[in-house]
């Protein structure tokens, strides 16, 4: 009896080829899901118009309120954009596409990297649009080129951290609907910070919460860099919070992916 020939195993894809493929896949999904990208831009712009023209006159009669709220609107825009990552990841886990990826000679975990990098690019684009609208409304930063680059770098780090966190939430959720609901809770954090009003104007019992949550030092650092406001220790706290959230989210996401994908 002649032994059947054993087909040769395909070599494992090396380098960053798998990550590049999944980034391209996620970007194509973003283009096909144009409504999500449009909403991630439209909602922060609508809020900026609402705060500037409805509440701005009462909060700052001199007309400088748009300068105050732009950093908060930018972080709000990043949160809206990153929240779609949770839905995309949860959908991948539900539809079974992960099973197909695990049969291929590539790192299945690269699918998370693809979602995160694509979200970072989408959010930077949306942030650019929001800042462009802010300029049209009268936003006039006084930052030097170095301060402007520092603000952009911090915004990119914040987007990266919160996107990884939303990716982990997508893995932990039972489905796309649940992922959307869990992620929505995080979008309230900017409202409980100094993003839209100074912390000193809040009730006394709420001020410690607003002062010591992650968004406040990040907003104050971006505001200080763009408008020349005093920075104090805010940059160090902002970097510490972003790094801590990123490290925890990456570790949590990797553990969840091995645990959930390994069952399939």
């Amino acid at each position: 009896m002649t032994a059947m020939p054993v087909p040769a195993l395909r070599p494992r894809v090396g380098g960053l080829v798998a990550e590049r493929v999944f980034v391209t896949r996620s970007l194509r999904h973003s283009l096909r899901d144009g409504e999500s990208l449009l909403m991630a831009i439209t909602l922060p712009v609508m809020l900026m118009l609402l705060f500037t023209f409805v509440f701005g006159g009462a909060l700052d009669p001199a007309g400088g309120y748009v300068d105050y709220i732009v950093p908060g609107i930018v972080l709000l825009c990043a949160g809206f954009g990153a929240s779609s990552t949770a839905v995309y990841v949860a959908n991948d886990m539900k539809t079974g596409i992960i099973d197909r990826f695990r049969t291929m000679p590539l790192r299945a975990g690269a699918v998370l990297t693809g979602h995160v990098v694509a979200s970072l690019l989408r959010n930077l684009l949306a942030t650019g649009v929001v800042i462009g609208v802010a300029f049209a409304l009268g936003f006039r930063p006084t930052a030097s080129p170095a301060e402007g680059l520092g603000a952009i770098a911090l915004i990119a780090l914040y987007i990266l951290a919160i996107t990884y966190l939303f990716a982990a939430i997508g893995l932990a959720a039972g489905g796309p609907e649940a992922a959307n609901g869990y992620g929505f809770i995080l979008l309230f954090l900017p409202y409980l910070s100094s993003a839209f009003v100074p912390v000193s104007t809040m009730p006394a019992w709420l001020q410690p919460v607003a002062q010591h949550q992650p968004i406040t030092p990040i907003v104050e650092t971006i505001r200080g860099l763009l408008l020349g406001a005093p920075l104090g220790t805010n940059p160090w706290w902002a970097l510490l919070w972003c790094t801590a959230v990123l490290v925890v989210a990456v570790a949590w996401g990797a553990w969840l992916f091995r645990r959930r994908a390994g069952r399939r």
Side-chain angles (χ1 to χ4, degrees):
M1 181 175 178
T2 305
M4 295 292 292
V6 177
L9 294 175
R10 287 181 293 176
R12 192 177 182 83
V13 174
L16 297 177
V17 174
E19 282 75 9
R20 189 171 68 246
V21 168
F22 283 114
V23 169
T24 304
R25 168 181 177 264
S26 296
L27 287 175
R28 285 177 176 167
H29 284 180
S30 300
L31 293 175
R32 292 170 186 165
D33 187 17
E35 292 180 350
S36 296
L37 179 60
L38 183 62
M39 292 303 294
I41 297 173
T42 302
L43 285 177
V45 169
M46 291 176 64
L47 284 173
M48 184 161 55
L49 295 173
L50 177 70
F51 276 98
T52 301
F53 293 114
V54 178
F55 305 126
L59 295 171
D60 187 352
Y65 189 58
V66 66
D67 288 337
Y68 185 86
I69 63 167
V70 165
I73 292 293
V74 166
L75 297 191
L76 202 61
C77 175
F80 279 129
S83 65
S84 62
T85 305
V87 178
Y88 291 147
V89 171
N91 195 54
D92 276 352
M93 299 302 292
K94 183 179 180 181
T95 58
I97 192 68
I98 298 297
D99 294 334
R100 295 185 60 187
F101 294 151
R102 288 177 62 81
T103 65
M104 300 177 184
L106 47 78
R107 291 181 296 279
V111 66
L112 290 183
T113 305
H115 280 303
V116 170
V117 174
S119 175
L120 177 62
L121 297 175
R122 286 197 309 269
N123 275 300
L124 288 176
L125 173 64
T127 299
V129 173
V130 169
I131 291 178
V133 173
F135 271 104
L137 295 178
F139 175 56
R140 295 295 181 266
T142 59
S144 66
E147 291 171 332
L149 288 175
I152 293 172
L154 180 57
I155 292 170
L157 179 61
Y158 172 78
I159 292 173
L160 184 65
I162 196 171
T163 300
Y164 259 113
L165 183 57
F166 275 114
I169 289 173
L171 288 169
E177 296 82 6
N180 191 38
Y182 294 147
F184 194 73
I185 297 173
L186 292 177
L187 300 181
F188 278 98
L189 281 179
Y191 298 103
L192 298 177
S193 72
S194 64
F196 302 108
V197 294
V199 172
S200 59
T201 64
M202 299 179 183
W205 61 268
L206 186 58
Q207 290 184 19
V209 177
Q211 187 65 49
H212 300 293
Q213 63 124 311
I215 300 296
T216 294
I218 298 173
V219 164
E220 293 298 332
T221 301
I222 297 172
R223 184 177 290 137
L225 289 171
L226 294 180
L227 301 172
L231 291 172
T233 59
N234 286 314
W236 299 110
W237 283 109
L239 291 174
L240 182 63
W241 272 117
C242 287
T243 304
V245 171
L246 180 61
V247 170
V248 171
V250 169
W252 185 33
W255 178 76
L256 282 171
F257 188 83
R258 286 196 301 271
R259 187 166 178 263
R260 295 200 60 193
R263 291 177 179 172
R264 296 167 181 274

